Amino acid sequence: MTLPSQPAVAAPAAPAGPHPTTVYLQQVSRWYGNVVAVNDVTMAIGPGVTGLLGPNGAGKSTLLHMMAGFLAPSSGAVTLGAERIWRNHQIYRSIGLVPEREAVYGFLTGWQFVLASAKLHKLPAPEAAAERAMNLVEMMGPAKDRRVDTYSKGMRQRVKVAAALVHDPAVLLLDEPFNGMDPRQRLHLMELVREMGASGRTVLFSSHILEEVERVAQHIEVLVAGRHAASGDFREIRRLMTDRPHVFFVRSSDDRRLAAALIADQAAGGVSLAEGGLEVRALDFRRFTWLLPRVARDAGVRLWQVSPADEDLESVFSYLISGNGSGRRPGGPPGPGGPPGPGGPAVPHADAPPAAGPLPAPPRSGGAA
Amino acid sequence: MNATIAAVTYRGMIGSRRIWLLVALPLIMVGLALLLRLTNQADEQLAVILMQRFAVGALLPLMGLIVGTGVIAREIEDGVIIYMLSKPIPRPVVAYTKLLVAVSLMIVFAAIPTFLAGYLMVGAESGVATGFFLGTAAGGIAYAAVFLLISVLTRYAVTIGVIYALIWEGLVGGIVPGARQFSIQQWTQSIADSVSSSPFFKADVPLGFAAVALIVVTLGAAIWSGQRLRSLSITGDD
């Protein structure tokens, strides 16, 4: 599995103008009636692998479809380099798209589907291009001649990726690409995505699963409730997520005595009696999980249940944008002068809203890109 | 015209069981004509009634609906059209190619069976078979364009198409004399009437108006479809 590199984008050193394989979003909003799906997002997706992370319904797909030219921004501009994307079919020479929807032309075989993609791109040697793309996703076996509607979800996903790669695009957009894949296929696609990023291509994939992003992306953009919540190096954002205060639900043989012991020991930032147990706010995740059983033992209390009450992504992201974290540098998103490089700081945005939900629509004065 | 888009669209329309949707009605009409011929009941008057009521009144709008929406509405509905539109091909070319596919299917599954049914009943007598062949071909092209347009304008193409065919074409066009001027079925009959010398039918709409109307509607719907496809929005699941 080898990918030709992209010499034109191998050295992204301080470009004077827009980078030709960087997708720029400038104050992009998209609303449906009174519901805002994407709200005033500005970001630049440059060479390398970027993960677009956010809980379900955060607006990831909406944003990705605007980048792919299938949705007009209600206001703001989406461009690939200096070229506008909306209503510009020429950009598909540079963009490959893997949509989230499972449906494909089920009456075609996998090979016919990818070959048709190659022909639609008017490639000089469509068969060779289709064969290369099918090889990249390990689909050149007997299964290639089966109708797509007989494929498993993972196989469909692979031919969709092959069809998107058939013209060797400089920019690859993938919407929840690992859905439905078995672990082996998932690892293989992750490897492929990493290779594409390493070869200088711009790869953006959306996901609501932290671990997927962790394995593939150097750089992440976090979207919450349609707003750009954070931008930066994955490890930095991951640390913020782990080090945040955690809320645990605790059931024990004597909740009141345990609450008193926890407060006396200063093991918790706050303790409150909840229905059937205690709600404990831990300031330091590691210290608390180490301390809790010891405090309980010393107080002669048996622990029946300890479970995190806020482990879902919504809670994690809400924390990220709530302004409660310390030591985070507020700042604006990267501008069109150049994308943030891998390893850059995590930058939760100061202007992000505190919680998910419909937001008031901005005035309809902006034109589509 | 793009050969790959045409090939995929043909596969979608006539591949597997979907072909029976296209074949069933023409087979019934030709079978009926054959039965009348074999039982010696086929005469020119009956042939004209079959052409007017079955070929123009039922077969043509239904086939237009099946074909015009079939070439694109389902692809928009389930999102697979994204694989055609995410290519460096002008989107109007996608629309025009699909229209050409729809037109060819209308000729094969509506106009030619109409000619066959007419010819089986009365041969070349009074130009009935030829007249209705040309009429249904012209009407079929217009229907294909109109239903294609409805498909790219709304996600409820089939429902709106059925309402249009039944209420406007079938009911209003039949009852309100003025509305007949704006009925594809009436234009179809005008073309047929201009070729046929049969005394058993007389078109309500003048040929000149019908011919211009057919061209304007077909071209207008085709161009509008192409432009609409340029702005087609496809969203994800969130």
Side-chain angles (χ1 to χ4, degrees), chain A residues 32 57 59-62 65 69-71 86-87 89 92 99 101 103-105 107 112-113 117 119-121 160, chain B residues 4-5 8 11-12 75 77-80 82-89 91 230-231 233-236 238:
Chain A
Y32 302 94
K60 301 188 300 294
S61 281
T62 301
H65 278 78
F70 282 97
L71 208 50
W86 176 243
R87 299 185 82 173
H89 64 272
Y92 297 114
R101 283 201 200 187
V104 288
Y105 291 101
F107 49 82
Q112 288 168 339
F113 177 60
S117 277
K119 288 178 175 172
L120 289 171
H121 276 288
K160 279 162 60 182
Chain B
T4 307
I5 292 173
V8 172
R11 283 284 299 273
E75 291 180 33
E77 177 69 24
D78 60 20
V80 294
I82 207 166
Y83 295 106
M84 282 185 184
L85 301 185
S86 60
K87 303 294 183 291
I89 298 168
R91 292 190 182 177
R230 286 189 73 206
S231 307
S233 293
I234 297 176
T235 53
D238 74 8

Side-chain angles (χ1 to χ4, degrees), chain B residues 1 6 9-10 13-14 22 60 63-72 94-113 133-149 214-215 217-219 221-223 225:
Chain B
M1 174 76 177
T9 308
Y10 275 123
M13 287 302 294
I14 60 181
L22 300 172
L60 198 62
M63 294 301 285
L65 184 66
I66 293 168
V67 167
T69 59
V71 292
I72 200 165
V94 177
Y96 303 153
T97 302
K98 286 186 172 287
L99 177 58
L100 282 177
V101 171
V103 164
S104 69
L105 292 172
M106 287 301 287
I107 303 290
V108 170
F109 293 103
I112 291 176
F133 166 72
L134 292 173
T136 50
I141 293 168
Y143 265 128
V146 167
F147 285 124
L148 183 85
L149 174 63
L214 280 166
I215 291 167
V217 164
T218 303
L219 288 181
I223 292 166
S225 299

Side-chain angles (χ1 to χ4, degrees), chain A residues 54-266:
Chain A
N56 282 327
K60 301 188 300 294
S61 281
T62 301
L63 201 66
L64 209 131
H65 278 78
M66 286 195 280
M67 293 186 205
F70 282 97
L71 208 50
S74 302
S75 70
V78 186
T79 58
L80 173 61
E83 283 188 84
R84 71 178 161 79
I85 289 177
W86 176 243
R87 299 185 82 173
N88 178 8
H89 64 272
Q90 294 294 349
I91 55 124
Y92 297 114
R93 294 188 193 284
S94 307
I95 289 181
L97 171 68
V98 181
E100 185 186 8
R101 283 201 200 187
E102 211 181 311
V104 288
Y105 291 101
F107 49 82
L108 298 178
T109 66
W111 169 254
Q112 288 168 339
F113 177 60
V114 178
L115 182 61
S117 277
K119 288 178 175 172
L120 289 171
H121 276 288
K122 299 191 171 92
L123 300 178
E127 282 84 5
E131 191 175 335
R132 184 192 63 84
M134 291 291 265
N135 271 324
L136 282 174
V137 296
E138 296 184 332
M139 280 292 288
M140 271 308 279
K144 78 177 171 63
D145 295 319
R146 270 172 42 201
R147 283 168 57 117
V148 176
D149 56 13
T150 67
Y151 282 2
S152 67
K153 197 172 176 183
M155 290 167 81
R156 280 184 195 208
Q157 199 67 3
R158 282 151 72 193
V159 291
K160 279 162 60 182
V161 172
L165 292 178
V166 77
H167 60 304
D168 195 19
V171 178
L172 184 64
L173 305 173
L174 307 103
D175 197 0
E176 302 275 359
F178 306 109
N179 277 0
M181 287 188 156
D182 66 35
R184 199 188 69 81
Q185 293 166 351
R186 191 175 296 217
L187 284 176
H188 178 74
L189 182 58
M190 285 178 175
E191 178 60 29
L192 182 63
V193 165
R194 268 196 298 264
E195 276 193 29
M196 291 198 69
S199 66
R201 290 169 178 78
T202 297
V203 184
L204 174 76
F205 74 99
S206 68
S207 176
H208 62 280
I209 299 169
L210 214 55
E211 284 67 31
E212 282 181 359
V213 181
E214 185 173 22
R215 288 186 176 194
V216 185
Q218 305 101 343
H219 184 89
I220 69 169
E221 304 288 348
V222 182
L223 208 63
V224 182
R227 297 293 291 264
H228 193 193
S231 170
D233 178 65
F234 177 82
R235 285 160 300 178
E236 279 294 303
I237 292 176
R238 177 80 202 202
R239 187 185 59 73
L240 287 170
M241 291 174 177
T242 309
D243 290 354
R244 73 201 160 91
H246 285 64
V247 178
F248 289 93
F249 180 73
V250 180
R251 276 198 319 121
S252 68
S253 58
D254 190 336
D255 291 337
R256 287 180 183 276
R257 186 190 296 181
L258 180 62
L262 284 169
I263 290 166
D265 206 273
Q266 295 185 327

Side-chain angles (χ1 to χ4, degrees), chain B residues 123-175:
Chain B
E125 191 179 310
S126 303
V128 170
T130 309
F132 276 96
F133 166 72
L134 292 173
T136 50
I141 293 168
Y143 265 128
V146 167
F147 285 124
L148 183 85
L149 174 63
I150 294 173
S151 299
V152 297
L153 285 178
T154 170
R155 301 286 160 101
Y156 308 102
V158 174
T159 310
I160 292 173
V162 167
I163 291 169
Y164 164 74
L166 290 182
I167 307 292
W168 181 258
E169 292 277 1
L171 202 63
V172 179
I175 295 170

